[in-house]
Amino acid sequence: MALAVVAGCSSGGHHKPALHGELTIGVLAPMSGADAALGRDLVNGASLAAAEVNDGSGLLGHRVRLAVQDDGCTPGTATQAASRLVQAKVVGVVGGVCNASTQAAVAALAGAAAPTLVTSADADTLASTSRPSTFLVNGTVYQQGLAALHWIAYRSAQRVAVVADSSPQAAELSGVVARGIDVPLAFRQTVRAGQDLGQVATATLRPRPDCVYWAGSAQDGGRLLRDLRGMGYRGRFMASSPSDSPEFVAAAGNQAAEGAFITTPARPDLLPGAAKWAARYRARYQQPPGRAAMQAYDAVRALMQAVRQAGDTAPRAVADNLLQLRGFTTFMGELRFAPDHTLSDDNHVIATVRKGAITLASTLRTD
Amino acid sequence: MSSRMTRRITRAAWYLTVVGACTVGLAVGPSMASVAADPTSPPPASDNSAHGDGTLDDAHNIPTNAVTGDVTFLDNVRGVSGYSALNFIHYEKYGYDFMFANGTGGLAIWSLQDPEHPAFIAKVTAAQLRVPGDTQDRFWEGENITVDPKRKLVFLSRDPRGFGGTLTTGQSGFYIIDVQNPWEPRIVLFHPVPAGHTSTCINDCKYIWTVGPYSTGTPGNDPAWSPQPPYALPQGGVPLWVTDIHDINHPFTYSEPIDLDRFDGQTSYVHSVDVDRNGVAWVAGEGGDRGYWTKGLHWDPVQNQNRVATAYDPVPYAGGVSSTTPGAGDDFFAYFDHNAQHVTWKLGNYPAGDLLLITNENITTCSKACELKVESLDGSFDGAGWRSTPQDPFRLKLVGHYTAWGQEGSGTTGSCSAHWFTVNGNIVAQAWYAQGTRFIDVSDPEHPKQVGYFRVPNGTAGVTAGSASAPYWHNGLVYVADYNRGVDVLRFNGTITGNPDGRICWNSCDEN
């Protein structure tokens, strides 16, 4: 598969220093198949970051170009794509949407020690001490569980019920929350496929919780909330990231959904500080940016910041500086990596339903 | 660089800063290279007189001019600098305790295999603790250093005034240091918090409460909390910030601080948190002292309901603005309660749990310095300290007080104020800066009585004058963190009244 090259285009019209030579950043994204739209979003976000630096003084005086590889969201294709990026001697790689394909890609890239910033995939296993050049700019599933715990704490819940569907992600999330709460766990249940949610709601309310946490699909989450409200439940309801969807509100109904909380990775339209950037993106690409675009934009910028700090493109120097980013901010605030290469303060936010729309409740940040 | 040295320069150390990474290699190498003990082998037998294998070179300043009363000087150790605070961890695998001290030079660690003669074994220098933007290798200052004795972690609270910073520019927060192998401390990370000066483990060290002076170098504080200009008014400061440290790789600081509105409704400077023997966390600062349950089901006298207390949403217990001592005036320092210990046992005619021992701090001439106060909580158990207003103020009742001024063994010059203390039985060991360490019997709480002292005056060649910060009763001895001298090891020769050698509580209580 050919290497697609995207160079950030100058907007022109103003004096800028001449750039000498090129530095190439690899981009891994699904450019075909069911996730192609996500891939285009990701590539556009990365391209915007490159264009902005090329409009300025470049990166160490060089023009930045992107080498885009289609990972197809499949492990085999991703491995081949990663190998081609290694051969292209990229400064680093950003991207990765699907967990399985991203796992394969980072394994292939780790051998070459190419600094890799995973933008959208969220598997806990992506960050590993055996891959010191891999960093995650998206919060992991485990971190989403922590975000839920912290918000439940903020709301001073006293008795918590945890209900989850049988998906692996829901199982992990419900486990993190059930094990982590400091107040009594009033109820916990895993919902089987096809199980009557009305019965689940009845059982959930029996121990009189004041907070119900749902991990699972948007539709079942909405239905469960509808049933709970129908039975007179007035306490808090929080759902995991799949419920960051109109489908959740539709299944619950506007009235029942009102005030429900959702843990979700930040997206541009939830962050007021991203509005101007989103406008720039829209003007350039004739469509609003999605989450993948914002994550790729930040990942390219973080990688370039590390190169700038290092004053060098040597993989080890760049990786070292990714662990020591100085004053690097995103629309969420300062971005720092934890010793395990996940985000120190991850990008999960708390959204809430207001009059049928999903809006920001909290970024969970002190800054 | 040897592979062994490379191993010691941990990922977390170079994670902190590029400058720090370079400095670590330069500054730490030689000293750490002198650490002879292999962490995988049994701990070496400590030769404390010669500082042989397993130890670093240390200095011992013998106070030939010490002014003492019923106190025996046993040893002095220097480590990396003078210190503001100490703490201790017992290691089952070694069978003895280790002592941790932080000061301007960073963190120092001693083996207490011979408790009377600590053996310096490892350090984390201030250079290693630098973060991006720092301009000096000067840690400040980590009062009330807290430890997790189970996970073997040390937490260094970073004041914004450290490393060349100021209250408006400096970064605050805390460092997590892994000391599972005390010979090879490992910096896990620095965690920014909008406060820093003292930190205290809460609920078995699954949370940490961090407090400190007005600061804006690390974002998060509401400008309305801050004095304009700082400290010119008797109110103002920043509240208490709660951080979840279940996962030390991902500390999470709640964006809504607690202990707001502490001074008659005004949010003020919180300086210290000290947990009592019953698990109540006492929060001291400008505007008095208030206790909180941090776990379990309790009656909340403010919300008028039973509810589950948590570290991030604690349940008020008792306390409020303390009464000032005669002549204290009405300025910031008159109301600045530096730290407080709850007397959970019966004392004199006062029932168990009724009294607080409080340091009121103001470093000034000794005749005007702030004192050790004994105050009664009577009347505060219904939440009165949370409802107090300037128009309808509630005050704790002053029962007794003590000052070093004019006492036997005191000088008439030098800095002077009550500072940190710990309590063994009914004997308070308290630091008084240049007036040294004072032993005060509070058996009659209305008339605290000095029963011992240790002071190292200036003016003697070769002897470093003292500036005592914090004395710690520990297994029958007293270890004094001194800003100038390092650590002095003392034995109190007087009678320990009350029930001696019970659980010594300060910070999160000594679990060793």
Side-chain angles (χ1 to χ4, degrees), chain A residues 142-143 150 153-156 158 182-183 316 320-321 323-324 326 336-340 342-343 364-366, chain B residues 11 14-15 17-18 132 188-190 192 207 219-220 244 247 249-250 252-256 307-308 312-313:
Chain A
Y142 162 71
Q143 288 180 302
H150 298 319
Y154 269 124
R155 299 301 96 190
S156 297
Q158 294 282 295
D182 284 344
V183 296
R316 177 60 189 265
D320 285 358
N321 277 277
L323 275 174
Q324 308 166 57
R326 293 195 289 265
R336 295 178 300 126
F337 289 106
D340 65 359
T342 60
L343 287 170
L364 294 173
R365 296 287 192 105
T366 56
Chain B
R11 175 185 303 163
W14 49 256
Y15 155 67
T17 166
V18 174
V188 178
L189 51 73
F190 168 69
Y207 295 88
D244 181 337
D247 177 352
N249 279 323
H250 297 97
F252 175 82
T253 298
Y254 288 87
S255 62
E256 296 170 10
R307 66 182 183 88
V308 178
Y312 42 80
D313 189 16

Side-chain angles (χ1 to χ4, degrees), chain B residues 21-36:
Chain B
C22 298
T23 312
V24 166
L26 293 170
V28 177
S31 57
M32 294 295 274
S34 67
V35 178

Side-chain angles (χ1 to χ4, degrees), chain B residues 402-417:
Chain B
Y402 162 89
T403 176
W405 173 245
Q407 297 281 353
E408 182 181 322
S410 292
T412 55
T413 59
S415 64
C416 184
S417 175

Side-chain angles (χ1 to χ4, degrees), chain B residues 283-368:
Chain B
V283 183
E286 179 71 357
D289 318 276
R290 304 198 294 193
Y292 294 92
W293 293 111
T294 59
K295 58 184 174 182
L297 183 65
H298 301 279
W299 173 253
D300 183 336
V302 178
Q303 296 185 13
N304 287 316
Q305 62 173 340
N306 278 308
R307 66 182 183 88
V308 178
T310 60
Y312 42 80
D313 189 16
V315 171
Y317 171 71
V321 180
S322 59
S323 292
T324 57
T325 51
D330 195 40
D331 65 3
F332 173 86
F333 284 107
Y335 295 94
F336 184 59
D337 286 358
H338 178 274
N339 59 298
Q341 282 289 322
H342 187 210
V343 182
T344 54
W345 57 99
K346 182 178 185 297
L347 197 58
N349 295 322
Y350 294 83
D354 188 60
L355 296 178
L356 272 183
L357 299 169
I358 301 165
T359 286
N360 179 214
E361 187 194 24
N362 183 8
I363 307 169
T364 179
T365 58
C366 212
S367 61
K368 298 176 182 175

